[in-house]
Amino acid sequence: MDAQKVDLFIMTNGKFFESHQINVIRNRMLQVDESKWSILSTTQFKDPTTILIVSLLAGAFGIDRFMIGDTAMGIGKLITCGGFGIWTIVDWFLIQKATREKNIEKIQRFL
Amino acid sequence: MSLNRNRLYVRVIIASVVGYVWILLQVTKNNFSNNPFRVCFLKQITNIPCPSCGTTRSVTSIIQGHFLDALYSNPLGYLIFIVLLISPFWILKDLFKKTNTFLQFYIKILTTIKKPKIAFVLIVLVILNWIWNINKGL
């Protein structure tokens, strides 16, 4: 894929991934052919900041986990009063990383 | 779905052990209503019960044989009781026989409840249960 397009993608979507993964994504994107561009450029990723806000407000119900697609963990959180409140607090710190990992899983399907 | 079998099994077993220890503590203590310590984060701060408040009371009622009390406390208790009763033994059986039937069942259940119609019904049920919880004043 064209280096200019790849850099444009990284600039707009860099915040959705872990910093150490960006280089890997860039290299992979440079290797794949041009036809993937339309899929990649239109893919929606979950914003870690939005999920963090949801986690702060409705983390006790597991809504944050449901939003990033972790349905099982969401149910676990919902039926245990947010993991007795402990899991809720732990997730305030972990949810951004979890969101970025979900985004990586999503982009790996196209690369 | 990128799901590691062993990771899932370890998670479920840890959750089950925590669940068993918690329930055992509550059953042996036997004075839950007098206990000033509340585990629910939301209830402690806002005094409004969350959708799953009363689940511990429900499970302990089931163990003591008061099935109607359990239903009144929180119907979710039945779900947790069944999960706690079955999942650890199912996983142990899987580990000994080196199969992954629990994982397959787990994926099947997850894909079923992710279907919009079923998800909608479940969300409505949880919200209704929550409203009931608030009305009961758990």
Side-chain angles (χ1 to χ4, degrees):
Chain A
M1 200 182 281
D2 188 19
Q4 216 175 348
K5 280 182 178 173
V6 175
D7 285 336
L8 177 70
F9 179 86
I10 296 293
M11 274 204 305
T12 28
N13 297 307
K15 60 180 176 178
F16 301 134
F17 307 104
E18 293 284 347
S19 49
H20 63 91
Q21 288 163 334
I22 290 177
N23 249 335
V24 183
I25 295 172
R26 193 174 183 278
N27 291 338
R28 283 291 301 145
M29 280 182 81
L30 286 170
Q31 284 164 13
V32 296
D33 65 297
E34 207 70 32
S35 62
K36 300 271 184 191
W37 172 248
S38 59
I39 308 169
L40 283 171
S41 59
T42 50
T43 309
Q44 298 274 325
F45 296 102
K46 296 272 187 283
D47 189 350
T49 320
T50 316
I51 304 291
L52 178 65
I53 295 168
V54 173
S55 184
L56 290 169
L57 296 174
F61 308 140
I63 310 287
D64 47 351
R65 288 282 172 182
F66 283 118
M67 276 184 77
I68 63 168
D70 248 348
T71 315
M73 299 264 260
I75 295 171
K77 242 172 130 174
L78 178 70
I79 61 175
T80 56
C81 287
F84 298 148
I86 301 165
W87 192 357
T88 310
I89 297 169
V90 170
D91 255 359
W92 290 348
F93 300 95
L94 294 186
I95 199 74
Q96 285 196 301
K97 192 167 182 277
T99 314
R100 291 192 186 107
E101 269 164 17
K102 284 282 165 187
N103 285 337
I104 278 286
E105 274 177 30
K106 198 172 185 182
I107 202 173
Q108 268 171 350
R109 271 179 253 155
F110 307 120
L111 291 176
Chain B
M1 190 180 292
S2 61
L3 198 70
N4 189 319
R5 169 182 175 263
N6 291 345
R7 200 206 270 176
L8 171 75
Y9 286 8
V10 168
R11 275 183 192 171
V12 176
I13 286 197
I14 290 172
S16 306
V17 169
V18 172
Y20 271 109
V21 170
W22 176 249
I23 299 293
L24 205 71
L25 279 177
Q26 297 304 321
V27 170
T28 48
K29 217 188 281 174
N30 219 3
N31 57 348
F32 193 84
S33 51
N34 301 326
N35 190 353
F37 176 69
R38 284 173 179 166
V39 281
C40 185
F41 198 55
L42 187 82
K43 199 177 174 184
Q44 229 165 4
I45 293 173
T46 60
N47 223 12
I48 301 169
C50 77
S52 50
C53 274
T55 313
T56 308
R57 269 162 282 179
S58 177
V59 176
T60 47
S61 299
I62 294 171
I63 293 168
Q64 286 155 357
H66 310 303
F67 298 110
L68 273 178
D69 284 354
L71 202 66
Y72 182 75
S73 283
N74 198 329
L76 273 176
Y78 279 96
L79 177 74
I80 293 198
F81 182 74
I82 292 166
V83 170
L84 273 181
L85 202 66
I86 295 172
S87 59
F89 300 104
W90 193 341
I91 286 174
L92 286 179
K93 187 189 142 226
D94 256 11
L95 289 176
F96 279 120
K97 288 195 168 181
K98 294 199 166 95
T99 52
N100 57 358
T101 50
F102 183 79
L103 178 72
Q104 283 163 2
F105 177 75
Y106 172 85
I107 291 170
K108 208 170 145 189
I109 288 280
L110 270 190
T111 41
T112 311
I113 59 173
K114 273 183 183 173
K115 284 177 188 160
K117 280 180 189 166
I118 295 170
F120 178 76
V121 173
L122 290 176
I123 291 167
V124 169
L125 280 178
V126 169
I127 292 174
L128 283 177
N129 189 34
W130 191 15
I131 294 170
W132 193 29
N133 267 356
I134 295 170
N135 277 338
K136 277 184 287 193
L138 278 173

